[in-house]
Amino acid sequence: MRIGLVGAGRIGAFHAATLKGLPAVEQVVVADVDATRAELVAKDLGLEFAASADELLTSGIDGFVIAAATSAHAELISKAVAAGIPTFCEKPVATDLGDTQRIVELVEASDVPVHIGFQRRFDAGYSSAREQVVSGELGFIHHIRANTNDAFPPAREYIPTSGGFFRDCTVHDFDIIRFVTGREVVSVYATGANRGETFFGEYGDVDAAAALLTLDDSTFVSVSGTRYNAAGHDVRMEVLGSLGSIAVGLDEHTALRSAEPGITFPDGQSHATFMDRFRPAYIAELTAFTEVVAGTREVPCTVRDALQAFRIADACELSRHENRVVSLEEIGA
């Protein structure tokens, strides 16, 4: 199959290289708002090049991958749906809840499959956790602890368009909590602080945050994160049940060291970036998308899934600003 990709930045170039290596993909065509950058990526990887997203969409592609800036996602999804081309889009669907809801309605009124990129759903540890929760092996779940700790902060220029910590970073935790438990969040209480560079505060954002979520079966979930975890990129989840407890992301690469005498675990090199941590998941995710394009698989993460994660992030942002518990019923349907 022939896959078109728009967005030749870091994640776009990474996806282009991944797609090139998939058995089902015969050719990848790259485009970017900066045509020169797209041409350089295409040349470096031995791929085809299109001068624009519009040219890409009319070039006979079988599937469309969106790795462009967040502000372009909604328009590009709309164009792909109009063209009838199966689409993969990095999260989020749009920059705000209203546009996200509009795209959900657009996609659900069509027969065009649109797969949203929450790669943790394809990570082996999270998949195993889901199986153990669903099977009842862990008994009833009473607490979950989830964290996303970046090794270093993003550039200043990224922050104004990021959507804020909850929408940009912990939204992955919100999605995977729904995926692993099969439950919905009913309320949140969230807080945050700016402990490092002042530019986070200048844009109304935080670089450290925490939230307590209550699920619809009364499971409590604590979610925390930071932009400053020099020990390495650390993404984990602990699922505590009445019959057993498990941890996702606890291995030799975990960015922690024990304070107990004589303990050397974990003894491996910690991950530096999210691409290191989730490389196999990204490959599995794009492999799944080729199956969606081929018509042999249902969309594994829908626009409505993305909407639900965005609603939780919005609720956390509102809670942080107003210092109160926020019900999900307050945040668009």
Side-chain angles (χ1 to χ4, degrees), residues 185-199:
V185 174
V186 296
S187 67
V188 310
Y189 178 74
T191 188
N194 186 13
R195 304 295 305 281
E197 292 285 352
T198 58
F199 63 73

Side-chain angles (χ1 to χ4, degrees), residues 62-332:
D62 301 299
F64 185 48
V65 173
I66 300 170
T70 295
S71 58
H73 288 187
E75 180 182 4
L76 290 168
I77 292 173
S78 298
K79 289 183 175 182
V81 169
I85 300 172
T87 297
F88 173 94
C89 182
E90 276 296 340
K91 68 84 186 168
V93 167
T95 57
D96 60 46
L97 190 62
D99 270 351
T100 301
Q101 290 172 318
R102 178 178 62 82
I103 294 299
V104 169
E105 292 169 4
L106 176 72
V107 171
E108 291 184 344
S110 77
D111 59 359
V112 178
V114 177
H115 174 183
I116 304 302
F118 280 101
Q119 85 283 352
R120 294 186 195 182
R121 290 175 175 238
F122 297 88
D123 176 78
Y126 285 111
S127 296
S128 175
R130 174 185 167 93
E131 291 170 3
Q132 292 181 62
V133 170
V134 171
S135 71
E137 181 178 340
L138 303 179
F140 65 82
I141 308 304
H142 47 82
H143 286 84
I144 294 174
R145 293 193 285 262
N147 66 267
T148 296
N149 299 327
D150 289 336
F152 48 86
R156 167 193 277 268
E157 55 268 24
Y158 175 73
I159 300 306
T161 60
S162 71
F165 195 92
F166 291 113
R167 298 186 189 98
D168 175 56
C169 190
T170 53
V171 70
H172 283 285
D173 295 288
F174 303 149
D175 177 72
I176 204 63
I177 287 161
R178 294 183 64 247
F179 176 76
V180 168
T181 65
R183 314 301 306 194
E184 297 294 346
V185 174
V186 296
S187 67
V188 310
Y189 178 74
T191 188
N194 186 13
R195 304 295 305 281
E197 292 285 352
T198 58
F199 63 73
F200 289 99
E202 291 170 11
Y203 296 112
D205 198 7
V206 296
D207 56 36
L212 176 64
L213 318 180
T214 302
L215 305 188
D216 58 12
D217 64 348
S218 298
T219 298
F220 297 121
V221 184
S222 60
V223 178
S224 63
T226 179
R227 299 291 194 183
Y228 290 94
N229 196 61
H233 186 75
D234 182 20
V235 175
R236 283 176 288 115
M237 173 186 279
E238 298 172 13
V239 183
L240 312 179
S242 59
L243 299 179
S245 299
I246 57 174
V248 177
L250 181 63
D251 60 19
E252 67 272 19
H253 302 294
T254 302
L256 285 174
R257 61 182 178 84
S258 176
E260 301 298 329
I263 302 300
T264 60
F265 177 85
D267 55 3
Q269 181 67 42
S270 61
H271 297 293
T273 69
F274 64 89
M275 288 188 289
D276 294 331
R277 168 68 173 85
F278 289 109
R279 187 175 298 273
Y282 280 116
I283 294 170
E285 178 180 57
L286 288 176
T287 298
F289 176 61
T290 64
E291 295 166 356
V292 171
V293 173
T296 59
R297 181 170 184 164
E298 295 295 317
V299 173
C301 186
T302 67
V303 287
R304 186 160 293 277
D305 287 321
L307 170 63
Q308 292 301 92
F310 200 103
R311 290 179 65 225
I312 301 166
D314 259 19
C316 286
E317 194 64 20
L318 179 61
S319 175
R320 179 177 77 86
H321 280 288
E322 298 189 357
N323 190 30
R324 66 177 178 89
V325 174
V326 172
S327 166
L328 264 290
E329 293 180 350
E330 299 179 48
I331 311 295

Side-chain angles (χ1 to χ4, degrees), residues 1-3 19-20 22-28 47-48 62:
M1 65 181 61
R2 180 178 166 88
I3 303 293
L19 286 164
K20 178 185 177 181
L22 299 183
V25 178
E26 297 170 292
Q27 185 55 277
V28 180
L47 308 175
E48 290 185 27
D62 301 299

